[in-house]
Amino acid sequence: MMAFDDLGLWHILTAAFVVFILVKLPPWQTFLNFKHTRSLPRDVVFMPPFGLSNHFVPERFRHTDSTVYRKKHKDYARHKSTAYWMVSPLSTQPCLMVADALAVQDIGSRPDVFGKPLWMYEVIAIWGGNLISTQGPEWKRHRKVVGPTFSEANNKSVWLETIRICDLWFAKMDAEMDATGADTFDDAEVMENTMLLALM
């Protein structure tokens, strides 16, 4: 049986949590999220999508990158649309899920209209801002410096060189398998080779 002091502490903690929710996530904001997302189909989820808190909540109550990968196009088929809103009562920001190539290209090409979630990129801003962790004028400054490196000609060159190296690696594995008559290839340097492939 819970002691009176424990019960009193429980009431104080509950009240503090309610106050935090009302200050951090005002009910009118949640109402506005529901109101403003009427233009498209929507899913209501308990936990905000892609938040850090998702890692501490049972899977049936959350929506993460792995959920998107596992479901693939099922949610879009269910809504009969290439876009839908994801709204959570615990978040002030609705999330728009898009599976249309032209729409994604348009969203990606207009950073001034569709801003980036900069809080997601704080971890890679160890030595200050960079092309991924900034937007606006600072992003333009970074883009001007690194832009020539990511030209179509360079991208094509990197792609072709990666294919050439992979073909050589696979040919080496095939030759060793033919020489030994084995059905599988045991590469003692697989970790090193895989790391080098990831860095290309």
Side-chain angles (χ1 to χ4, degrees):
M1 187 171 174
M2 190 179 284
F4 176 75
D5 290 342
D6 292 338
L7 193 60
L9 179 62
W10 178 251
H11 284 143
I12 291 171
L13 290 174
T14 304
F17 178 73
V18 169
V19 169
F20 171 78
I21 291 295
L22 290 176
V23 170
K24 193 80 174 157
L25 305 165
W28 57 266
Q29 182 64 54
T30 303
F31 170 75
L32 287 177
N33 286 347
F34 280 86
K35 183 180 176 186
H36 292 153
T37 56
R38 287 183 299 180
S39 57
L40 289 170
R42 69 179 166 218
D43 274 352
V44 179
V45 293
F46 178 68
M47 294 303 295
F50 314 115
L52 182 63
S53 55
N54 267 317
H55 299 288
F56 308 104
V57 175
E59 192 164 343
R60 65 179 179 274
F61 297 118
R62 60 192 170 100
H63 198 283
T64 63
D65 292 330
S66 59
T67 314
V68 173
Y69 176 77
R70 210 172 34 260
K71 287 187 173 182
K72 300 211 174 5
H73 204 74
K74 288 179 184 173
D75 286 336
Y76 300 98
R78 178 167 51 85
H79 289 301
K80 297 181 177 146
S81 174
T82 56
Y84 68 92
W85 286 105
M86 192 173 296
V87 184
S88 168
L90 298 180
S91 174
T92 57
Q93 293 289 325
C95 181
L96 180 62
M97 307 295 288
V98 181
D100 181 275
L102 291 175
V104 170
Q105 184 178 13
D106 189 41
I107 290 168
S109 64
R110 295 199 289 165
D112 52 326
V113 177
F114 303 97
K116 290 191 281 188
L118 297 181
W119 61 269
M120 291 177 69
Y121 305 116
E122 287 174 3
V123 69
I124 61 169
I126 301 167
W127 294 286
N130 54 58
L131 191 63
I132 297 172
S133 67
T134 58
Q135 61 184 3
E138 189 179 356
W139 178 86
K140 287 179 182 175
R141 186 169 56 83
H142 287 290
R143 176 69 181 167
K144 185 177 180 182
V145 173
V146 302
T149 308
F150 296 102
S151 66
E152 284 302 314
N154 282 353
N155 288 343
K156 182 179 179 181
S157 175
V158 169
W159 180 253
L160 292 175
E161 184 63 15
T162 304
I163 291 173
R164 186 186 72 80
I165 291 170
C166 286
D167 285 342
L168 286 173
W169 186 29
F170 295 144
K172 176 188 170 194
M173 287 191 284
D174 287 339
E176 290 187 20
M177 285 169 59
D178 288 342
T180 60
D183 292 332
T184 58
F185 180 78
D186 183 18
D187 187 359
E189 301 170 347
V190 69
M191 291 295 288
E192 183 181 346
N193 289 334
T194 306
M195 185 187 70
L196 291 173
L197 281 173
L199 291 173
M200 281 191 221

